[in-house]
């Protein structure tokens, strides 16, 4: 554009950011530094971040074990919620103070106080959703929704089975399935407090919850009770736990793998593939959102999920941690100090 | 029917048959006995069998390790070709001497000299196809055709990859792929005469042939050369050999398992499922032909395959063995005496 207005540019505030200059263990390679102000171009929006979660994908990206790498140095974090702080002259449809989320999730950059991106990268959301839930909606709840929608036609009365059921995706799957009248069988790992976990998941809407250990001694049929055999299974663990999911599936069923927490591969017998006609698929949100059309579809889904959260129909535990205590939240997210709810960085607060 | 004509019934000749009264090792539980004549009902056809193959599925059924069992005692054999010997009063569209095959394959019964079945169970075929090829068309060549057709859209210039490439299904896949301009990468097991096998498969139309051992030392990319990465892979072995097929597949590719010769399961890494977006499926001809509509579709495909055989475009090695020497053919089919071509029982000959 030859328009001289494009040069009378606005400038962002300096931004405090979690930066990593090399790949490695996040508690060793990240540090918080102040990034200098940047120009806000005519089609760009400067957002003051309000909250951003620490997701496993963020950690894996810093470790360099994610399927794609960002150019270094980089700022951590891929999703979050912020408010519009300033925007360029060509930006329309946004007002100062509006809440926005990067959608699709940004490759990097949400762990900082101010973030400048093109207007098209931001999706405006309703303000009456809990901040913590809105900040983490894109990676986990959306995965749960798409897992339920994209791999089989589920009718009310059908059953799904999943492992890793206490994860946020797992908790969302339970609630979203329940909302459409779909039963859920939920496998959890053996742990001391398994009764309390069972109760918690049943309260969310789970039909059955069983530990991996129980599955070694009880027959799948007995655990199913009166529920129909599952059409669809979800695996985020691998190894024996994935095999348990496969055992539950009915003839012609599909198992979708979206994680591998045990670091063990998925093993399936030839007879299960041939005679039980099982299908194994994989799901990666990133793949799904490669096209712009899909991005628009995603935003419709995001709005649906936000409306459920607003009505109290979709929730999960989080722990809000002031940004200044990033290293504490990181240690918890890394599992160094026991089991904790999803860690959400809160900016600008006390 | 109150029609008295229905009772003036025709009778089949006595039938020499390979019978098993219990499940077990085929060379121990089968014997050839003469079955008494049976009535040919008004809608039935009595067929004088001409040839019938010994397929692995036949052996597994006698061993009791197949996914379904037949009521005992039973006659072995599920496919073959015969000529019309007699038929009931209500049968139309067949003449004495016509060649027919049971389609879909019969649960049991083709290893005998005379076989009576309802007219709808028989499919009339052209007589100018080699007897040995026609007798074994349903289980192996049809599997090859459906594997190529039903799991992905293959365009000329695309590539497929398979293991167990020397099997009849494997040989048919090579030829059928070649006919539609699709390249094939063929994995064979390590053996002394691998150079001769490679030459034989290249002559059939294979683009590349490599042994499992070569795959341990060479990179998949190097073996691919200028060929595009395969869209579709076929696995009839399992274990490491299945993993090799998966390695060749391109992003978003599908591997179809139709056998498990190594008796090892299929193992796939979480990252291949998620980041490479692979799909694993299974194929069992029996499943596919459960509906009548599908049976009619199959007969169209069978006729297409027979036309290719008639033109010399689809072939594989067989060994015709007189029915009286069943036990010799069985030993060869069981792999007791080295490697042999497909054993085809020939009835009524010298």
């Amino acid at each position: 554009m030859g328009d001289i207005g494009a040069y009378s540019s606005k400038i962002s505030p300096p931004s405090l950011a979690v930066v990593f200059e090399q790949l490695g263990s996040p508690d060793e390679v990240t540090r918080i530094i102040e990034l200098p102000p940047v120009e806000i171009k005519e089609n760009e929006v400067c957002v003051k971040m309000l909250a951003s979660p620490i997701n496993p994908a963020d950690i894996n990206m810093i470790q360099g074990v994610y399927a794609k790498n960002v150019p270094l140095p980089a700022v951590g974090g891929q999703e979050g919620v912020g408010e519009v702080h300033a925007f360029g002259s060509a930006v329309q449809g946004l007002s100062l103070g509006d809440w926005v989320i990067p959608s699709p999730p940004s490759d990097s950059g949400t762990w900082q106080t101010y973030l400048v991106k093109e207007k098209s990268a931001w999706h405006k959301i309703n303000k009456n959703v809990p901040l913590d839930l809105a900040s983490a909606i894109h990676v986990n709840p959306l995965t749960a929704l798409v897992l339920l929608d994209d791999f089989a036609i589920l009718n009310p009365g059908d059953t799904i089975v999943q492992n890793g059921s206490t994860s946020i995706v797992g908790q969302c799957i339970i609630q979203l399935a329940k909302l459409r009248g779909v039963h859920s069988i939920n496998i959890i790992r053996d742990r001391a407090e398994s009764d309390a976990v069972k109760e918690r998941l049943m309260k969310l809407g789970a039909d059955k919850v069983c530990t991996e250990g129980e599955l070694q001694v009880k027959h799948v049929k007995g655990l199913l009770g009166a529920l129909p055999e599952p059409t669809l299974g979800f695996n985020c663990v691998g190894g024996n736990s994935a095999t348990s999911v496969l055992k539950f599936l009915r003839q012609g069923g599909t198992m979708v793998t979206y994680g591998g927490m045990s670091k063990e591969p998925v093993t399936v017998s030839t007879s299960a593939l041939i005679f039980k006609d099982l299908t194994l698929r994989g799901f990666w949100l990133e793949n799904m959102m490669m096209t712009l059309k899909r991005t628009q579809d995603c935003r419709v889904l995001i709005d649906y999920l936000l409306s459920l959260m607003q009505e109290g129909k979709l929730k999960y535990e989080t722990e809000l941690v002031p940004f200044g205590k990033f290293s504490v939240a990181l240690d918890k997210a890394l599992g160094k100090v026991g089991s904790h709810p999803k860690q959400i960085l809160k900016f600008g607060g006390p």
Side-chain angles (χ1 to χ4, degrees), chain A:
Chain A
M1 300 283 285
D3 180 3
I4 195 81
Y7 294 96
S8 65
S9 57
K10 296 176 183 174
I11 296 289
S12 77
S15 181
L16 270 183
V18 176
V19 172
F20 55 106
E21 280 164 25
Q22 57 187 69
L23 302 178
S25 181
D27 50 357
E28 290 170 13
V29 299
T30 59
R31 61 199 174 105
I32 297 186
I33 59 172
E34 190 180 280
L35 299 177
V38 296
E39 186 192 339
I40 304 166
K41 300 206 186 83
E42 60 172 11
N43 59 345
E44 287 183 337
V45 179
C46 172
V47 171
K48 180 175 185 292
M49 291 306 296
L50 299 172
S52 174
I54 304 183
N55 286 318
D58 302 324
I59 291 172
N60 292 340
M61 198 173 273
I62 299 170
Q63 291 167 329
V65 298
Y66 203 59
K68 61 177 194 182
N69 290 320
V70 285
L72 298 180
V75 178
Q78 297 176 70
E79 64 171 344
V81 62
E83 63 179 28
V84 174
H85 178 79
F87 45 79
S89 56
V91 169
Q92 291 186 322
L94 280 181
S95 306
L96 297 184
D98 279 352
W99 278 15
V100 290
I101 63 174
S103 176
S106 172
D107 269 3
S108 70
T110 57
W111 296 347
Q112 59 179 316
T113 51
Y114 291 92
L115 181 53
V116 176
K117 281 179 175 289
E118 278 200 10
K119 154 86 168 42
S120 63
W122 297 106
H123 175 52
K124 180 179 163 182
I125 67 165
N126 204 314
K127 275 182 158 182
N128 44 14
V129 177
L131 189 66
D132 55 335
L133 297 183
S135 77
I137 196 166
H138 223 303
V139 174
N140 288 301
L142 184 59
T143 292
L145 185 62
V146 177
L147 285 173
L148 281 169
D149 277 351
D150 274 21
F151 294 90
I153 293 164
L154 290 173
N155 295 311
D158 284 348
T159 311
I160 62 95
V161 56
Q162 65 170 339
N163 61 24
S165 311
T166 57
S167 71
I168 293 190
V169 172
Q171 293 182 48
C172 290
I173 283 175
I174 291 171
Q175 296 169 82
L176 293 171
K178 178 82 173 179
L179 280 171
R180 49 192 79 180
V182 170
H183 306 291
S184 66
I185 295 164
N186 300 277
I187 304 170
I188 59 174
R189 65 174 196 279
D190 297 281
R191 58 185 108 196
E193 73 284 18
S194 64
D195 282 346
V197 172
K198 281 183 187 182
E199 204 183 307
R200 193 153 54 81
L201 296 185
M202 296 296 279
K203 232 177 227 168
L204 281 182
D207 292 85
K208 309 263 178 190
V209 186
C210 54
T211 65
E212 288 171 12
E214 285 166 0
L215 278 173
Q216 303 305 313
V217 290
K218 277 198 191 174
H219 280 297
V220 158
K221 295 274 175 207
L223 287 161
L224 266 176
L227 294 181
E229 289 177 303
T231 311
L232 194 54
F234 305 117
N235 163 50
C236 64
V237 182
N240 286 337
S241 184
T243 306
S244 295
V245 170
L246 290 171
K247 266 190 212 151
F248 272 105
L249 288 182
R250 79 168 185 207
Q251 180 82 19
T254 296
M255 181 174 84
V256 186
T257 291
Y258 67 95
M261 290 195 291
S262 73
K263 302 204 195 307
E264 286 167 13
V266 172
T267 299
V268 54
S269 71
T270 300
S271 65
L273 282 169
I274 297 182
F275 301 130
K276 212 172 157 187
D277 193 21
L278 298 184
T279 296
L280 272 62
R281 312 244 338 239
F283 173 76
W284 189 25
L285 201 58
E286 200 108 21
N287 251 347
M288 206 196 71
M289 297 187 301
M290 291 226 174
T291 64
L292 183 66
K293 188 190 163 305
R294 203 55 194 165
T295 298
Q296 295 308 327
D297 289 349
C298 279
R299 290 181 176 183
V300 173
L301 299 179
I302 289 288
D303 288 341
Y304 165 69
L305 291 168
L306 288 167
S307 72
L308 293 179
M309 288 173 172
Q310 200 175 322
E311 297 165 28
K313 291 179 179 164
L314 185 62
K315 59 192 169 193
Y316 47 84
E317 263 189 272
T318 65
E319 184 174 352
L320 279 164
V321 182
F323 184 45
K325 294 191 174 167
F326 171 73
S327 62
V328 177
L330 181 63
D331 282 353
K332 288 183 179 175
L334 287 169
K336 282 178 155 187
V337 283
S339 188
H340 291 275
K342 171 66 75 186
Q343 299 293 299
I344 312 271
L345 302 172
K346 190 168 178 299
F347 300 85

